[in-house]
Amino acid sequence: MQLLSPLLAMALTLLCGLGIFAGLGLPPGRAFHALFIEPVSGMNGLSELLLIASPLCLIALGLAIGYRANVWNIGAEGQMYLGGICATGVAIHWQGHAGAWTLWAMLVAGAAGGALWASVTAYLRARLHANEILVSLMLTYVADQLVKYLVYGPWQDPQANKFPMTVEFGDDALLPLLQSFGWEIFDGTRVNASVFIVLAAIPAAWLFIGRSFAGFRLDVSGQAPAAARYAGFPQTGAIWLGMLIGGAAAGLAGAAELAGPIGRLNDRWTPGFGFTAIIVAALGRLHPLGIALAALLMALLYLGGEAGQIALQLPKAISQVFQGMLLMFLLGCDVLVRHRLQWRAAPEIAAGAAA
Amino acid sequence: MVAGPLLELRGVRKRYPAVLALEHASLEVQRGEIHAVLGENGAGKSTLMKIICGAVRPDAGEVLWEGRPAPVGDPALSRALGIAMVFQHFALFETVSVVENIALALPGRLGLRALAKRIEEVAQRYGLPVNPWRPVYELSVGERQRVEIVRCLLQSPRLLIMDEPTSVLPPQAVGQLFGTLRGLAAEGTAILYVSHKLDEIRSLCDRATVLRGGRVVARVVPREESEQGLAELMLGREFPRTQRREHVPGEPVLELMGLSMPAEGPFGIPLRSVSLKLRAGEILGIAGISGNGQAEFLAALSGELPAEDAQTVWLGKETIGKLGPAQRRRLGLAYVPEERLGRGAVPEMSLAQNALLTGYQRGMVRRGLIEPGAARRFAQDVIVQLDVRCGGPRAAANSLSGGNLQKFIVGREMALQPRILVLAQPTWGVDVAATALIRQRIIDLAGAGVAVLIVSEDLGEILEVCDRVAVLASGRLSPLRAVSDTGAEEIGRWMSGAFPDAPATLQ
């Protein structure tokens, strides 16, 4: 039943989506084709799909590990910003003296930056019992302001006509495209080496969740906090580990985004991957394989949203509408799979009870 | 008045997806009789009671009330007939007063003042002293039970169902309860008394229906049967008796020296300077009603709540007051907590994973990775050793019955080869056969030189298993007594807190 509810949610989303198209006066079949089939019918489309799915998958894997321990990190978006900031710092500080090491340093700095941002939440939760949902969410807005400060201020490209962006990264600070490895099938596509990071992260997360003792302790903390206390797995440990892994994954994804298709830091470089990844993690049932599939699905919604704007003049919000429906149906299905609605009349006053 | 039984069930059958809970069960209750329903856990007692009070609809069979078909499957209609049930676990709101709790449970609206007056009347009449204005959190378990009984009596029931009512009561309160029940029966109220405590049934009940595996296996007059005979009817085979061993205390293993603890939670009780010495090969029982500092005492022993002063808890020659549970376990302290699901075991995890919960220091983890084979073997050994009925090491903890899960947890902690084993309510809610097995294993373990400490509300258990006994009441520990030098009388008196202050040095 646990696995049924995402499938059910997808079916309901699709159904309602078709209903919305019909309501807009579009033939549902054609709209569906234009939104969800056409964008991925060529190699170019598939590579765009991978390009979007990669960061979603990476972030969701990290979040899922925390979620399994009931550590609700909602601030992956902000942790991703910090990852991007740190990677950018490395890239532009060593702009003239870069080497093969630069890219690696950027990725490490990105992961560290994300983890550092998450550690603020972890500290407040572990020491002061501050709610990690609120703290991590609010810190996202702080991180956003930090990015704005940097790209409007000290890191602004002097040649950019006051546009809020840094200089373009040098070649050593960019992830190589797959086509540069000589694989002809990727010719003309933008997909880059970051997919290797994700392909490594999926089995790594699987191993961590399924086989490692640390993963087991997190699961115990999440499923039965009293059992974790009894066994001697401290809750603070679960908070720290869950937040740091989530933050590092988000930071790494941020660094890979900037070193990949974006190529420089600006003030609106992510379409909310950090938030979408929360849906991916939930839709994937916090399991690495499920998350990989869910990431592809959410990436398709992004692509479909863009295609809908072009082909059918649909508003930009269409992909968010689909995301929102999917999450709502998923939560609804989860509740209804576990519980049953019962309609009942107001209780009657039993006769003779007050005798 | 109509002749014939007040309540009669004929050929009742109830099947749940996985089990046949009742098959061709019948029951006959007369006006004014105290009728026992006797059976092991899983024998179908609770299903039968739920059918009677309308919570469960039987698949087949008849329910007759005063000879006429009674409505089934509707609690409100059953209540209207005059059927009331006092549950084993009380559903009372801690923070509000007795009268407010009762007002919430009663249909209709009655002013609190008027209701309080009626509560006092009923309480007076049946010898159930209850102050309607006291908040529930201040009440002892016995007082809470009284509140529940008064709540039922306010509805003038004609049939009162009591589900394991004495499992939480001190001996004196049991006597009081029996007096009340006899008085009610004398007025014509029928009482269905669900229990597996044979001595109580023999002294209280007029007739008994014995259930085994969902079927009625006997109808007897309990006074005419021996306890042994009743037990064998209930189990369907010979009743295992615990074999005591000679008590040869060795070196002190655990020492508490003036251990104090703040209360856990708003309704907890602080521990006040508890001292004791537990020796190798000895079984020490801590009697007393839960909520008298038991939670704090156990948390202080297990390390879940470290002491403020490391010097107050000693394991052998080491001070462990500030160590956490994992460190204490490494030094040889194993612990079986009171809650099985959710604390002693993770409900949705397999037995193998639950073996890992405390057994991970025993070669089940290598370089940070779990060795699933080792965990499965460990779990399998425990299953074999303690005769755990389950679907093997891969079975989820929540698929086991309470008794089998408890056997697994006790077996797991014993397999850690501890120097001291602490058990909280080791056989609470566990069926008779599993109880006997667990108690025997505890005795054998002490015979092998392990120090054992049992915290239990079940005084009978402590007197059966332990060598020495003390009472924890209001956060204070009584003097320790050899079990052979004391009895239910004295210990029962101590449970209310009436004991001399223990000279700390002599314990």
Side-chain angles (χ1 to χ4, degrees):
Chain A
M1 291 308 267
Q2 277 282 314
L3 297 175
L4 195 68
S5 99
L7 297 178
L8 204 60
M10 279 159 61
L12 286 167
T13 304
L14 189 61
L15 212 64
C16 283
L18 294 178
I20 290 176
F21 293 143
L24 290 170
L26 296 165
R30 197 172 78 82
F32 176 77
H33 189 266
L35 255 69
F36 300 122
I37 307 289
E38 223 156 77
V40 287
S41 49
M43 197 53 216
N44 199 40
L46 284 175
S47 82
E48 291 296 308
L49 188 76
L50 284 181
L51 209 55
I52 299 176
S54 295
L56 286 178
C57 183
L58 190 59
I59 300 170
L61 287 172
L63 289 180
I65 286 170
Y67 291 172
R68 293 178 74 96
N70 270 352
V71 175
W72 300 104
N73 175 8
I74 303 298
E77 183 81 2
Q79 290 144 23
M80 189 167 113
Y81 293 160
L82 258 287
I85 289 173
C86 291
T88 306
V90 172
I92 60 180
H93 188 264
W94 282 284
Q95 184 84 333
H97 330 270
W101 56 271
T102 309
L103 185 62
W104 294 106
M106 284 170 69
L107 295 177
V108 169
L116 194 72
W117 205 241
S119 71
V120 177
T121 306
Y123 178 81
L124 293 174
R125 167 73 206 275
R127 285 303 296 270
L128 307 173
H129 298 287
N131 184 311
E132 79 275 18
I133 296 177
L134 291 178
V135 175
S136 62
L137 179 64
M138 293 305 163
L139 279 174
T140 297
Y141 300 101
V142 178
D144 184 39
Q145 295 303 317
L146 201 58
V147 170
K148 288 204 168 74
Y149 163 73
L150 288 172
V151 295
Y152 281 102
W155 285 1
Q156 193 175 42
D157 178 6
Q159 262 104 58
N161 276 332
K162 300 277 176 205
F163 274 107
M165 54 174 73
T166 65
V167 293
E168 271 183 40
F169 294 170
D171 283 346
D172 281 328
L174 290 175
L175 283 160
L177 296 179
L178 288 192
Q179 58 176 320
S180 71
F181 294 110
W183 294 337
E184 285 170 17
I185 188 168
F186 293 107
D187 272 356
T189 66
R190 297 198 299 155
V191 65
N192 63 48
S194 71
V195 294
F196 295 129
I197 300 176
V198 179
L199 285 178
I202 295 169
W206 199 335
L207 190 73
F208 183 84
I209 289 170
R211 280 290 307 278
S212 79
F213 188 55
F216 171 77
R217 287 195 308 228
L218 291 181
D219 275 1
V220 173
S221 301
Q223 289 182 32
R229 246 190 332 274
Y230 160 66
F233 308 152
Q235 197 204 7
T236 48
I239 293 168
W240 276 101
L241 196 60
M243 285 302 300
L244 289 183
I245 290 177
L252 182 60
E257 274 293 282
L258 292 183
I262 317 285
R264 55 162 48 146
L265 183 64
N266 63 44
D267 71 337
R268 55 189 62 179
W269 54 283
T270 144
F273 286 160
F275 291 122
T276 309
I278 298 169
I279 307 179
V280 172
L283 197 62
R285 302 281 92 166
L286 310 183
H287 186 281
L289 258 193
I291 286 170
L293 293 174
L296 289 172
L297 179 74
M298 292 310 269
L300 182 61
L301 289 184
Y302 270 111
L303 282 186
E306 281 170 24
Q309 290 175 54
I310 298 162
L312 305 168
Q313 282 78 51
L314 286 170
K316 185 175 172 228
I318 193 73
S319 55
Q320 272 155 21
V321 168
F322 270 89
Q323 275 186 21
M325 281 198 296
L326 193 55
L327 183 63
M328 185 189 79
F329 282 126
L330 181 68
L331 296 177
C333 289
D334 275 348
V335 169
L336 292 177
V337 159
R338 283 186 206 128
H339 305 276
R340 188 165 52 127
L341 269 187
Q342 208 172 28
W343 305 105
R344 53 196 296 176
E348 290 170 49
I349 293 172
Chain B
M1 187 179 274
V2 193
L6 176 71
L7 173 77
E8 194 179 353
L9 276 76
R10 285 191 200 149
V12 169
R13 177 167 202 268
K14 178 71 196 174
R15 170 176 278 285
Y16 289 113
V19 284
L20 185 64
L22 284 175
E23 172 77 328
H24 209 81
S26 56
L27 179 72
E28 210 186 275
V29 187
Q30 305 287 344
R31 292 174 188 79
E33 87 166 324
I34 305 182
H35 191 113
V37 175
L38 183 63
E40 278 203 272
N41 281 9
K45 288 176 301 187
S46 6
T47 309
L48 195 63
M49 295 309 119
K50 283 181 191 157
I51 287 173
I52 294 172
C53 62
V56 165
R57 181 187 292 274
D59 301 333
E62 284 180 286
V63 181
L64 302 175
W65 181 259
E66 297 189 313
R68 282 192 298 274
V72 290
D74 188 336
L77 292 178
S78 298
R79 248 195 325 269
L81 287 179
I83 298 174
M85 180 155 174
V86 177
F87 290 94
Q88 194 176 0
H89 301 282
F90 315 132
L92 293 171
F93 296 97
E94 296 265 337
T95 48
V96 300
S97 69
V98 169
V99 59
E100 285 166 302
N101 263 288
I102 291 181
L104 282 169
L106 284 185
R109 284 177 200 282
L110 196 58
L112 282 189
R113 247 168 239 293
L115 185 59
K117 206 162 149 274
R118 291 208 45 213
I119 291 172
E120 277 168 344
E121 282 165 18
V122 170
Q124 181 77 37
R125 183 160 157 213
Y126 295 103
L128 295 163
V130 165
N131 177 351
W133 300 107
R134 277 181 70 192
V136 167
Y137 70 82
E138 283 184 4
L139 305 183
S140 71
V141 186
E143 289 170 308
R144 288 174 199 215
Q145 188 181 46
R146 270 181 238 152
V147 174
E148 285 280 11
I149 297 175
V150 166
R151 179 180 65 77
C152 287
L153 294 182
L154 280 171
Q155 304 175 44
S156 320
R158 304 186 52 202
L159 173 68
L160 182 65
I161 305 175
M162 307 283 300
D163 186 12
E164 307 254 351
T166 59
S167 59
V168 292
L169 295 183
Q172 281 80 354
V174 170
Q176 235 169 31
L177 172 72
F178 284 7
T180 304
L181 294 181
R182 287 196 186 102
L184 274 169
E187 288 184 1
T189 309
I191 293 163
L192 260 178
Y193 191 87
V194 181
S195 180
H196 58 235
K197 290 195 180 164
L198 308 167
D199 53 331
E200 293 177 357
I201 286 174
R202 287 189 60 232
S203 75
L204 180 71
C205 301
D206 305 310
R207 292 196 300 153
T209 297
V210 186
L211 285 173
R212 191 197 317 143
R215 290 163 196 272
V216 173
V217 291
R219 275 182 245 298
V220 295
V221 176
R223 281 188 197 93
E224 295 167 3
E225 302 284 326
S226 68
E227 269 187 41
Q228 186 77 16
L230 285 176
E232 278 161 22
L233 277 179
M234 187 160 86
L235 289 174
R237 62 193 138 87
E238 211 163 298
F239 182 60
R241 287 236 148 253
T242 44
Q243 302 292 321
R244 293 191 67 103
R245 89 240 174 267
E246 208 170 322
H247 171 208
V248 193
E251 288 293 299
V253 177
L254 177 83
E255 261 181 277
L256 302 182
M257 293 161 91
L259 173 70
S260 294
M261 274 281 162
E264 227 189 346
F267 307 126
I269 296 283
L271 275 193
R272 284 182 285 175
S273 191
V274 168
S275 300
L276 64 79
K277 193 179 275 181
L278 174 62
R279 295 173 176 279
E282 174 179 56
I283 309 178
L284 176 61
I286 307 290
I289 306 300
S290 283
N292 272 289
Q294 273 77 359
E296 290 77 5
F297 179 70
L298 288 163
L301 283 183
S302 69
E304 285 160 81
L305 218 62
E308 270 167 35
D309 179 357
Q311 306 279 327
T312 51
V313 189
W314 290 74
L315 187 68
K317 294 193 164 42
E318 286 175 87
T319 57
I320 60 165
K322 284 203 171 301
L323 302 186
Q327 291 160 302
R328 293 190 192 193
R329 195 173 295 119
R330 203 168 296 132
L331 292 173
L333 187 147
Y335 172 41
V336 177
E338 179 179 345
E339 307 89 350
R340 282 147 218 164
L341 279 180
R343 181 120 174 253
V346 184
E348 269 142 45
M349 288 189 175
S350 70
L351 294 183
Q353 285 172 306
N354 273 301
L356 201 56
L357 192 64
T358 59
Y360 61 87
Q361 290 157 0
R362 314 206 137 243
M364 294 184 213
V365 178
R366 194 176 302 159
R367 279 196 239 110
L369 290 187
I370 296 165
E371 301 273 329
R376 268 201 302 278
R377 277 192 299 279
F378 186 95
Q380 183 61 42
D381 285 348
V382 171
I383 290 168
V384 172
Q385 287 288 315
L386 272 286
D387 184 29
V388 179
R389 310 279 161 81
C390 64
R394 285 191 176 85
N398 58 7
S399 72
L400 271 64
S401 74
N404 278 306
L405 183 60
Q406 180 69 350
K407 284 198 277 186
F408 179 79
I409 295 172
V410 169
R412 176 186 70 194
E413 297 308 306
M414 288 182 174
L416 299 180
Q417 297 166 339
R419 292 160 68 195
I420 164 170
L421 177 63
V422 177
L423 303 105
Q425 319 292 355
T427 62
W428 188 83
V430 171
D431 59 88
V432 182
T435 296
L437 179 81
I438 289 171
R439 287 182 184 165
Q440 191 60 56
R441 290 309 162 90
I442 292 171
I443 291 171
D444 296 347
L445 190 73
V450 176
V452 180
L453 193 145
I454 297 176
V455 176
S456 178
E457 287 190 325
D458 184 344
L459 188 50
E461 169 166 86
I462 285 182
L463 296 176
E464 181 185 331
V465 175
C466 297
D467 304 309
R468 290 197 297 159
V469 54
V471 173
L472 188 61
S474 309
R476 290 190 313 136
L477 192 72
S478 76
L480 281 115
R481 279 267 199 279
V483 165
S484 49
D485 297 344
T486 185
E489 168 62 21
E490 184 179 34
I491 300 299
R493 199 154 13 88
W494 284 5
M495 283 188 189
S496 58
F499 50 77
D501 269 317
T505 48
L506 291 181
Q507 302 251 329

